[in-house]
Amino acid sequence: MARLGFATLGMIALGVGAAAWGARPATRDAAPAAPKRVVSFNLCADQLIVALADRAQIAGLTHNATDPWMSAAAERARGLPRLSSSGEQILAIQPDLVVGMPAGPAAALIARQGYPTLDFRFANSVDELYLSIRETAAALGHPARGAALIARMQADLAAIPRTGRGRVAAFYQRRGFMTGTGTLVDDLMRRAGLVNLAAKLGKPPLAQVSIEEMVAAKPDFLIVDSASDTVTDQGTEMLHHPALRNIPRIRLPEAWTVCAGPAYVQAAQSIAVQIARHR
C-alpha cells in the first residue's frame, strides 16, 4: 500500500497534539506522576512507547507491534502485551494513559470514561518528529529520555553525507503511487541530497504515476520497499516492468518508513550508503 509521508495510506503517521493528552493532577511543587499502565492504539505509537517507556509501564501495544515487516521496534516489543482495538479490553486494564486514540466506538467508550489520552497527528518534517518525541517522553514521565533520543538522532543525522548531489529520485510504491513534497519522506530525500521527482513534476503529496510518465521523467533513482523485490500481486508486479529495469533502486524496509520514529535515522543512513554505490 502506498505511503504518504511515513504513513501507509489510511494509517496515521506519528505526531502528537500537545494539548490532547489529559494531564494528571499536579501542584506547583510536583510534576504529574508517571503513568503506570500505558496502552497504545497505534502502530506508530508502539514504536515511541517502546523507545521511551519503562517496560513495566507498558500495559498493551497493538497486534502489529511485533511484526518485523510493519514495526521497526518489533524485536524490542517482543514479550510485551498485545491488544486488539476493543474498548472493553482497554477498560479492563484501567490505563492511566492511552496513546494514539482510534476513531470509532472504542475511542468514544474510552473518552466517556475520562482516561488520559495522547492523540496523534501527521509529522511532515524531522522537527515535527522531534516535537512528537519530546511530548511523548513527557507524557510517559521520562523527558530526559526524549531529549537524549533526539540528541542521538541529531548527531547521527549530522554525520550523514549528502551523497545525492542534486540527483533526482522518486519514492515509487506499489500500484504506481509516488510520495510528494511536504512529507517526511520528502524531508528524508532532501537530507540525503536528493531532489524529489514529485517536486519537478508538480505532483501533490500522494499521486499515482504511470510507468510511461515515470520513464519519460528519467529519475536517477527509484526508492522502493525492499519487499517489492518479490512479485506478490499486481501492485508489486508493475514495479518489475522492463521499462523500469535500468533505473537504479534504493531499497528500504517498509518498517522503516511506515511510521515517523527513530528509524528515520536508519532510513537516512541507508539511502546515503546506497547512493554512494552508484557514483
Side-chain angles (χ1 to χ4, degrees):
M1 189 171 289
R3 288 181 293 279
L4 173 59
F6 274 56
T8 300
L9 189 62
M11 287 186 64
I12 301 175
L14 184 60
V16 179
W21 60 282
R24 288 155 294 284
T27 67
R28 288 175 179 266
D29 300 320
K36 296 181 179 179
R37 296 179 302 281
V38 179
V39 168
S40 170
F41 251 128
N42 183 281
L43 175 66
C44 301
D46 291 341
Q47 297 178 46
L48 276 198
I49 290 172
V50 168
L52 297 167
D54 292 335
R55 289 181 74 84
Q57 287 180 280
I58 303 173
L61 302 173
T62 70
H63 67 281
N64 286 321
T66 56
D67 182 349
W69 294 99
M70 295 294 294
S71 172
E75 186 64 32
R76 294 182 66 184
R78 288 180 183 172
L80 292 169
R82 290 182 295 151
L83 308 173
S84 70
S85 58
S86 164
E88 289 79 7
Q89 186 181 25
I90 304 305
L91 294 182
I93 294 174
Q94 294 187 318
D96 48 9
L97 182 63
V98 180
V99 186
M101 285 287 284
L109 178 61
I110 291 169
R112 285 198 300 271
Q113 299 298 318
Y115 288 107
T117 63
L118 178 63
D119 293 337
F120 280 43
R121 55 177 167 79
F122 285 104
N124 291 320
S125 70
V126 72
D127 287 336
E128 290 181 6
L129 171 55
Y130 293 153
L131 176 62
S132 299
I133 292 170
R134 288 190 191 96
E135 292 178 343
T136 303
L140 293 170
H142 304 297
R145 289 183 193 172
L149 175 57
I150 291 169
R152 290 195 301 272
M153 291 178 65
Q154 289 174 328
D156 289 341
L157 291 172
I160 295 174
R162 297 174 62 84
T163 51
R165 303 199 315 272
R167 284 175 284 182
V168 177
F171 193 87
Y172 202 43
Q173 302 301 291
R174 62 193 316 274
R175 298 195 181 279
F177 282 98
M178 182 173 67
T179 302
T181 59
T183 64
L184 196 55
V185 163
D186 182 65
D187 183 285
L188 179 68
M189 293 166 70
R190 286 186 283 108
R191 179 172 298 280
L194 294 170
V195 173
N196 192 340
L197 177 62
K200 290 177 67 70
L201 299 181
K203 297 293 185 180
L206 187 67
Q208 200 164 20
V209 177
S210 69
I211 292 173
E212 293 78 11
E213 188 175 6
M214 184 62 69
V215 171
K218 298 180 179 179
D220 296 295
F221 300 101
L222 293 181
I223 303 177
V224 300
D225 176 4
S226 55
S228 67
D229 284 348
T230 301
V231 176
T232 57
D233 53 25
Q234 289 183 337
T236 52
E237 184 179 21
M238 72 170 294
L239 296 174
H240 291 261
H241 193 283
L244 301 175
R245 187 171 298 156
N246 293 327
I247 304 175
R249 299 197 175 199
I250 297 169
R251 294 171 171 83
L252 298 176
E254 183 177 10
W256 291 357
T257 62
V258 71
C259 288
Y264 175 93
V265 174
Q266 292 171 275
Q269 290 170 330
S270 182
I271 288 175
V273 168
Q274 292 183 64
I275 291 173
R277 295 174 185 161
H278 294 282
R279 285 181 179 175

